[in-house]
Amino acid sequence: MRRLLGLSALVAFALAVASFVRRGASRRRERVDLYYDDGSMVSLVDGSPESERLLALGRDALRAART
Amino acid sequence: MDAAQALADLTEISSQIESAALFGKDGAVGASTFADEERAQAFVRAARELLDAAAGLRSSTSPNQVEVATAEGSIFVVRDEGRLIAATTTPEPTVGLVFYDLKSCLRATSRAPAEDEPAPKPKRGAPKEDGDGA
């Protein structure tokens, strides 16, 4: 019985870690890159107010294309 | 090249591009991969809003290329003079390749029809240039 409880706890811990890593990876993927005529590039990472607005507009465009 | 043909070539070349639309500065849709006009216009409207919002970040200049990457996929908008193209892709696309394909598509539509014709073949009687003496 004790062994079963230990195994269950281990599986639950592994699932929690996997979920945390997956969520972190998906958030890292979200970004906005802007390229200008003069060759400069600005990358807005997830979390800044500018990126939140542009990410929301990007999601709207994706939704418009897919629905 | 015809805009619809250019988009057909684009989606054939790039497996990462799901949908795309060519449009003018005024938002008029030139061609799209969407089955119905309404969806194409909604997509172009959203892409223009995105580009306008991105332009507001710098007062001196506006971007000519934008990529918004989300977990569900990416949206690309490329501007070249008065013409624009917007496309959606699968998640984590090869960014450089997608931009290259979109710019090539824009360039193809701007070419005069005569430029698409194949170059004339060399005359049959032209002397050979290989000097192997055989």
Side-chain angles (χ1 to χ4, degrees):
Chain A
M1 183 67 185
R2 197 186 293 171
R3 192 181 292 173
L4 190 65
L5 273 174
L7 194 65
S8 302
L10 194 68
V11 168
F13 178 74
L15 286 174
V17 168
S19 161
F20 180 77
V21 168
R22 204 178 317 136
R23 208 177 315 154
S26 95
R27 283 191 76 79
R28 265 201 308 278
R29 280 202 295 268
E30 305 222 314
R31 64 171 205 293
V32 180
D33 288 344
L34 309 172
Y35 301 79
Y36 293 87
D37 277 330
D38 60 6
S40 62
M41 188 268 246
V42 174
S43 192
L44 305 169
V45 288
D46 192 18
S48 66
E50 297 94 347
S51 76
E52 287 301 329
R53 178 165 155 63
L54 293 176
L55 277 168
L57 289 168
R59 284 190 203 101
D60 286 349
L62 275 172
R63 213 173 299 125
R66 289 173 177 173
T67 52
Chain B
M1 186 191 278
D2 174 40
Q5 183 59 50
L7 281 183
D9 289 350
L10 174 73
T11 48
E12 194 184 315
I13 288 167
S14 177
S15 58
Q16 300 175 102
I17 294 174
E18 292 176 336
S19 54
L22 281 157
F23 55 103
K25 229 191 273 185
D26 57 355
V29 181
S32 83
T33 61
F34 297 100
D36 63 289
E37 184 87 2
E38 211 170 291
R39 254 176 78 189
Q41 280 177 348
F43 174 63
V44 164
R45 205 167 29 247
R48 286 184 70 211
E49 274 179 41
L50 172 65
L51 197 63
D52 288 346
L57 294 179
R58 266 192 197 180
S59 56
S60 56
T61 179
S62 58
N64 56 0
Q65 295 178 193
V66 175
E67 185 213 356
V68 176
T70 74
E72 293 81 35
S74 286
I75 170 155
F76 290 78
V77 186
V78 176
R79 180 171 56 84
D80 181 21
E81 292 165 13
R83 295 160 304 113
L84 298 101
I85 185 167
T88 61
T89 69
T90 50
E92 297 191 39
T94 314
V95 177
L97 209 54
V98 173
F99 273 132
Y100 177 82
D101 288 339
L102 294 180
K103 282 190 276 186
S104 298
C105 183
L106 267 183
R107 269 199 302 273
T109 56
S110 69
R111 278 203 301 265
E115 291 178 54
D116 289 333
E117 289 173 9
K121 288 180 182 172
K123 288 179 183 172
R124 280 178 190 261
K128 287 183 178 178
E129 286 185 18
D130 54 349
D132 58 358

